[in-house]
């Protein structure tokens, strides 16, 4: 029987690549559900091609457009935030690819876990915001969370077959983004156009800015803590500009295992969908002579202050990573609208972390409230500057 896939965020960078994977393996997978926020045209095109049972468009005002286009194809159409969450309850779904960006992906991922769906997790913010709640829920429901993020997929692959062998530490590799090796003076003047040019990966805008500011790696450190049950001091970052080694596990005997390949998100997406099997692919292969040098550098956490802030939020725990994430989403969208400078982003995030009320053992509603309040606070702080 084919694996029935729901893709939440099918119109994004991960979503579209997942559909390419599914198209290559149409004998193994079928699309049950597609969702998008407001790109109705692409959602309609995808639905006509992949014939899901249902689609959800997040934006209510686009409902009639999507309905008129898909009704003749016998595809159910829903709209709105609640439908985005409820759609994962369907009995016909085997695996949910959580590929919505940001806090907006949290609710649907939680609902999918409650309905015992296997999760292929691209939406790292889910674990950053509510790692404890989400991993506890997954354990209680016997649900596997399979990482899609390339670094975490690498760690996951390195751990295969190791059973309970203890991990000494992990190294998350980071390309360093477009501003590797630059100084403070340079960073103070950069524009969004410069920040949107990532050297090795093509991704959605938010994660591309996060990669330039190194917040992406900070979020990934917190994601790794929850996925692999690690202590903060076991998680290291190493700059590796070629993005060939996707991450490394070091075991207690000192042995290190790394997972390598050309940078291509289709591979971790496919592995999460086909796990525990590996499927034959025609992805371009790595050639050693094209890369005579794989290099490594220390990360500069003082220049890329988001890294220190993310470690700080992780150490504090409670609602602090949620605050970090919410403030970051607010400053990234402000930066994309030219409302704030590149180096001001960590200033605003830090101020929010200092001002927000700390909640040690947050529940779901606390996360929702902390997210809302931290965004409001970030906007207020930025308005003072405008
Ligand atoms: P993207 O911006 O390209 O796509 C985001 C998707 O989410 C779109 O389909 C959009 O319609 C949907 N969406 C956005 N806001 C929404 C909302 N409020 N409600 C419902 N749906 C909404 O983003 P992306 O680059 O594909 O990233 C998706 C997730 O995967 C992020 O969490 C990102 O950190 C993670 N990730 C991405 C990559 C990558 O290579 N792109 C790599 C690793 C991890
Ligand atoms: Mg990554």
């Amino acid at each position: 029987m084919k694996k029935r896939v729901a893709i939440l965020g099918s119109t994004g960078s991960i979503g579209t690549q997942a559909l390419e994977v599914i198209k290559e393996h149409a004998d193994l997978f079928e699309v049950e559900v597609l969702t998008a926020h407001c790109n109705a045209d692409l959602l309609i095109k995808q639905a006509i091609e992949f014939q899901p049972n249902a689609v959800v468009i997040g934006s209510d005002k686009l409902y009639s457009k999507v309905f008129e286009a898909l009704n003749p194809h016998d595809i159910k159409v829903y709209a709105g935030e609640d439908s985005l969450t409820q759609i994962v309850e369907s009995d016909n779904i085997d695996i949910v690819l959580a590929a919505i960006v940001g806090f907006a992906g949290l609710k649907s991922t939680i609902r999918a876990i409650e309905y015992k769906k296997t999760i292929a997790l691209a939406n790292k913010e889910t674990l950053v915001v509510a790692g404890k709640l989400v991993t506890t829920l997954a354990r209680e429901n016997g649900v596997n969370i399979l990482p899609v993020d390339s670094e975490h997929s690498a760690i996951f692959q390195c751990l295969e077959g190791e059973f309970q062998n203890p991990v000494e530490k992990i190294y998350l590799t980071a390309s360093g983004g477009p501003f590797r090796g630059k100084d403070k003076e340079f960073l103070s003047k950069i524009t969004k156009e410069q920040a949107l040019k990532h050297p090795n990966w093509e991704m959605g805008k938010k994660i591309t800015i996060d990669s330039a500011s190194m917040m992406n790696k900070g979020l990934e450190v917190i994601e790794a803590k929850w996925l692999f049950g690690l202590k903060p001091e076991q998680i290291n970052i190493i700059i590796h500009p070629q993005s060939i080694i996707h991450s490394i596990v070091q075991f207690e005997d000192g042995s290190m295992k790394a997972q390598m390949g050309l940078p291509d998100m289709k591979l971790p997406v496919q592995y999460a969908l086909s796990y525990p099997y590996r499927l034959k692919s025609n992805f371009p292969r790595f050639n050693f002579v094209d890369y005579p040098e794989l290099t490594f550098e220390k990360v500069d956490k003082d220049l890329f202050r988001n890294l220190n802030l993310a470690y700080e939020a992780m150490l504090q725990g409670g609602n602090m990573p949620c605050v970090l994430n919410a403030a970051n989403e607010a400053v990234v969208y402000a930066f994309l609208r030219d409302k704030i400078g590149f180096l001001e982003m960590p200033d605003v995030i830090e101020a929010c972390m200092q001002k927000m009320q700390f909640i040690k053992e947050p529940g779901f509603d606390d996360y929702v409230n902390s997210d809302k309040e931290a965004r409001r606070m970030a906007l207020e702080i930025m308005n003072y500057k405008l």
Side-chain angles (χ1 to χ4, degrees):
M1 219 173 110
K2 291 186 190 179
K3 225 184 241 187
R4 296 161 300 179
V5 187
I7 305 182
L8 310 182
S10 66
T11 53
S13 156
I14 292 289
T16 50
Q17 294 183 81
L19 285 172
E20 285 179 47
V21 167
I22 290 174
K23 196 170 170 177
E24 279 295 312
H25 298 283
D27 52 329
L28 298 174
F29 303 110
E30 68 187 324
V31 178
E32 177 65 22
V33 168
L34 295 173
T35 85
H37 186 43
C38 48
N39 191 344
D41 292 332
L42 183 54
L43 181 67
I44 291 167
K45 188 166 167 272
Q46 292 177 335
I48 290 173
E49 180 175 357
F50 288 91
Q51 294 290 315
N53 185 20
V55 303
V56 183
I57 182 86
S59 166
D60 285 309
K61 55 181 192 288
L62 292 167
Y63 171 77
S64 40
K65 176 175 183 174
V66 180
F67 178 79
E68 274 157 34
L70 298 183
N71 192 36
H73 296 269
D74 207 18
I75 297 169
K76 296 187 198 83
V77 178
Y78 304 96
E81 219 181 291
D82 290 344
S83 304
L84 275 172
T85 309
Q86 283 160 10
I87 198 75
V88 299
E89 296 173 6
S90 160
D91 285 342
N92 300 331
I93 299 170
D94 299 311
I95 183 165
V96 171
L97 174 61
I100 290 175
V101 60
F103 183 90
L106 177 66
K107 230 173 160 180
S108 48
T109 308
I110 289 180
R111 186 68 60 88
I113 295 172
E114 286 169 344
Y115 278 75
K116 302 193 192 318
K117 311 297 180 192
T118 301
I119 307 290
L121 188 75
N123 177 246
K124 64 191 83 186
E125 294 91 345
T126 285
L127 286 180
V128 172
V129 168
K132 190 168 179 186
L133 188 150
V134 168
T135 50
T136 305
L137 207 57
R139 225 176 0 259
E140 285 169 2
N141 284 285
V143 162
N144 261 343
I145 301 182
L146 305 167
V148 168
D149 214 346
S150 58
E151 297 77 0
H152 305 73
S153 175
I155 302 286
F156 185 68
Q157 293 179 55
C158 292
L159 291 173
E160 275 293 281
E162 292 292 344
F163 305 98
Q164 297 304 316
N165 285 334
V167 169
E168 194 165 81
K169 52 166 80 167
I170 65 167
Y171 289 93
L172 296 177
T173 50
S175 70
F179 307 132
R180 179 176 61 88
K182 303 294 187 203
D183 60 12
K184 204 167 172 181
E185 163 73 16
F186 183 92
L187 293 185
S188 67
K189 296 197 187 96
I190 67 118
T191 61
K192 68 173 184 228
E193 286 76 20
Q194 289 171 293
L196 282 171
K197 280 199 192 106
H198 194 279
N200 303 347
W201 300 98
E202 276 215 19
M203 310 176 284
K205 280 189 179 163
K206 192 252 177 188
I207 183 176
T208 304
I209 300 300
D210 283 348
S211 299
S213 71
M214 297 295 282
M215 182 55 98
N216 183 49
K217 212 48 57 179
L219 300 179
E220 289 184 356
V221 166
I222 303 174
E223 181 186 16
K225 169 189 151 82
W226 293 112
L227 274 174
F228 307 113
L230 298 168
K231 298 197 184 76
E233 59 273 20
Q234 290 176 291
I235 310 170
N236 300 271
I237 300 168
I238 185 82
I239 303 287
H240 167 48
Q242 297 82 17
S243 297
I244 295 298
I245 294 184
H246 299 308
S247 278
I248 300 148
V249 178
Q250 182 174 312
F251 293 93
E252 285 197 322
D253 58 358
S255 176
M256 299 168 99
K257 279 168 80 173
Q259 188 262 338
M260 298 172 61
L262 290 174
D264 182 350
M265 283 309 294
K266 286 208 283 297
L267 204 150
V269 167
Q270 175 172 301
Y271 187 66
L273 291 179
S274 67
Y275 177 81
Y277 304 105
R278 288 186 185 275
L279 304 180
K280 196 172 168 54
S281 85
N282 55 8
F283 307 146
R285 298 322 198 225
F286 173 75
N287 184 347
F288 281 93
V289 288
D290 291 341
Y291 291 85
E293 283 196 325
L294 295 181
T295 60
F296 304 93
E297 296 165 19
K298 200 168 165 251
V299 62
D300 188 344
K301 290 187 193 155
D302 296 325
L303 182 57
F304 291 97
R305 293 181 49 224
N306 280 338
L307 287 169
N308 276 335
L309 294 174
Y311 271 95
E312 174 64 31
M314 173 170 60
L315 287 168
Q316 285 192 39
N319 64 335
M320 213 33 85
C322 172
V323 170
L324 172 96
N325 179 71
N328 182 57
E329 288 192 30
V331 296
V332 167
Y333 291 114
F335 177 72
L336 285 170
R337 292 183 184 93
D338 299 313
K339 300 283 187 207
I340 181 172
F342 189 75
L343 285 182
E344 286 167 316
M345 292 196 283
D347 293 341
V348 176
I349 298 168
E350 184 176 37
C352 289
M353 287 171 63
Q354 283 166 355
K355 282 189 174 177
M356 279 285 295
Q357 194 202 341
F358 180 65
I359 305 171
K360 197 160 183 284
E361 297 284 346
F364 180 76
D365 291 342
D366 297 314
Y367 288 125
V368 172
N369 293 333
S370 294
D371 175 77
K372 207 166 151 194
E373 177 58 15
R375 282 170 199 267
R376 192 200 57 75
M377 198 177 270
L379 287 180
E380 188 180 285
I381 295 168
M382 288 187 283
N383 277 335
Y384 288 139
K385 291 194 162 174
L386 293 176

